[in-house]
Amino acid sequence: MKVRIAAVGDIHMGEDLRGRFRPRFAGIEERADVLLLAGDLTRHGTEEEGRVVADEFRDLPIPVVAVLGNHDYHSDAEEIISVLLRDAGMIVLEDQAAVIECHGETLGIVGGKGFGGGFAGKCASEFGEPETKAFVRHTKDIAERWRVALKETPADHRVVLTHYSPVKDTLEGEPKEIYPFLGSYLLAEAVDAEGADLIVHGHAHLGSEKGLTPGGIRVRNVALPVLGRAYGVYSLKEDLNV
């Protein structure tokens, strides 16, 4: 039986949305085996908004795995939000891996928030001012942690979950001037080096849903404004529309 991945990002929950998102996930266990949340779960990264997210996804009938996004860091409460989500039974990845059993097979999920820097030929380099070096080095460090996590996570299937994009394909529709702040090719390089079946990300509200890494790994932008539906469902060989 195929492993089915439900995914959505950029839901930007606030108190005014409490209880309004949960009904969209009724019956999700009939369509998917795991739900991935690709960051920007809150609007301003406050503890109060984190509590709304935790309550909205608490006790779903399938495992929920999440990463945070840039909005979730805005109020310096990212650690509190992560604790709230974990206390609600969710797995929160911070550049590490989790392994879930699905239909007698293992699904390895690797990921974290990711970061920016741009794409090959039009990217920042680790040169010049300390601030620029630190920006690029931060993405390099994240990519290396993903590479190691993938290498050390043998599983029947592997998926990478991130907020920032690893490819330009799924940014199509966004102003090209902001591509360096939407993702980095270094993330794709790390995944291509070790292999995965699928990468899902959010962040690019005006982007496109489908893309590929240079190594041919499927990439899906699951930002809610892009999907136009409660979540996408992706098998390891084909996409299912929900």
Side-chain angles (χ1 to χ4, degrees):
M1 187 172 182
K2 294 177 181 176
V3 176
R4 302 161 299 170
I5 311 293
V8 67
D10 301 82
I11 56 176
H12 296 290
M13 297 294 296
E15 189 63 43
D16 59 316
L17 293 178
R18 180 180 289 277
R20 293 176 59 184
F21 213 76
R22 179 69 176 225
R24 302 183 188 185
F25 293 92
I28 191 172
E29 70 277 12
E30 299 173 3
R31 304 182 183 96
D33 303 300
V34 60
L35 172 63
L36 306 185
L37 300 180
D40 275 8
L41 310 180
T42 65
R43 290 177 187 160
H44 301 102
T46 65
E47 179 178 348
E48 293 73 19
E49 291 170 347
R51 292 186 184 280
V52 175
V53 177
D55 291 342
E56 211 72 2
F57 293 94
R58 189 186 307 274
D59 298 327
L60 278 183
I62 59 175
V64 181
V65 183
V67 298
L68 301 187
N70 55 304
H71 278 246
D72 306 317
Y73 274 71
H74 180 67
S75 297
D76 299 324
E78 65 275 6
E79 292 185 7
I80 295 173
I81 291 173
S82 294
V83 169
L84 290 169
L85 300 185
R86 290 184 177 114
D87 286 349
M90 299 162 62
I91 298 169
V92 182
L93 296 179
E94 300 178 56
D95 303 331
Q96 68 233 111
V99 178
I100 295 172
E101 293 282 338
C102 292
H103 310 300
E105 297 183 313
T106 52
L107 172 64
I109 304 169
V110 170
K113 177 176 61 65
F115 204 54
F119 300 90
K122 295 181 175 63
C123 59
S125 61
E126 199 174 343
F127 181 87
E129 301 93 333
E131 293 82 1
T132 300
K133 292 177 182 176
F135 182 86
V136 177
R137 192 177 300 123
H138 183 59
T139 307
K140 283 185 174 180
D141 290 345
I142 288 170
E144 178 60 15
R145 288 195 289 271
W146 290 10
R147 189 193 66 76
V148 171
L150 283 165
K151 185 175 184 178
E152 295 180 350
T153 306
D156 297 310
H157 311 286
R158 295 192 297 185
V159 174
V160 173
L161 173 62
T162 173
H163 183 61
Y164 285 77
S165 177
V167 296
K168 291 189 295 184
D169 299 4
T170 50
L171 304 183
E172 189 65 38
E174 293 279 2
K176 294 187 184 300
E177 292 84 355
I178 67 171
Y179 277 21
F181 305 103
L182 297 177
S184 170
Y185 77 100
L186 295 171
L187 306 177
E189 276 193 351
V191 182
D192 278 340
E194 301 299 335
D197 299 285
L198 175 70
I199 305 173
V200 298
H201 75 87
H203 197 34
H205 293 198
L206 301 177
S208 305
E209 184 177 358
K210 298 181 179 181
L212 288 172
T213 69
I217 296 172
R218 288 188 304 158
V219 180
R220 297 294 180 261
N221 178 358
V222 298
L224 183 60
V226 171
L227 291 179
R229 56 192 188 273
Y231 52 89
V233 177
Y234 309 99
S235 76
L236 297 181
K237 292 186 178 179
E238 60 185 282
D239 297 348
L240 308 173
N241 291 323
V242 172

